[in-house]
Amino acid sequence: MKRRVILAVPANFGGENIAHLKARLHRATGTPVQSMQVETDDTLLGGFKIYMGNHVYDASLKTRLSEVRDLLARGE
């Protein structure tokens, strides 16, 4: 399964951090992570997005702020 991780961190995210992320994904999905494409995106503000097959796990600050903005606009 193709895995793509987009982070809101400097490009020097690597080595031990990559190994830790692979281990966490393995525990979360039950599937070993052999390879993973890691990118950075300055527009995320904070957090991350993980694309795994047809699934997207979005824990980015940009998305959370957008959700709050939408709630406030609806008056909830």
Side-chain angles (χ1 to χ4, degrees):
M1 175 185 312
K2 181 178 179 183
R3 290 169 180 85
R4 184 170 153 233
V5 178
I6 300 178
L7 306 165
V9 295
N12 62 357
F13 183 88
E16 189 175 309
N17 292 322
I18 296 286
H20 181 71
L21 183 56
K22 283 183 177 182
R24 295 285 304 254
L25 287 173
H26 182 193
R27 283 195 302 273
T29 64
T31 305
V33 178
Q34 299 300 325
S35 65
M36 178 172 60
Q37 177 182 345
V38 178
E39 304 171 15
T40 58
D41 182 349
D42 297 334
T43 69
L44 289 184
L45 306 175
F48 59 89
K49 289 184 183 181
I50 298 175
Y51 296 85
M52 293 177 54
N54 295 329
H55 300 283
V56 177
Y57 301 93
D58 189 340
S60 67
L61 183 56
K62 182 178 180 179
T63 297
R64 300 291 183 232
L65 290 173
S66 178
E67 291 170 350
V68 169
R69 183 182 62 235
D70 292 345
L71 286 172
L72 291 172
R74 290 195 310 257
E76 296 181 13

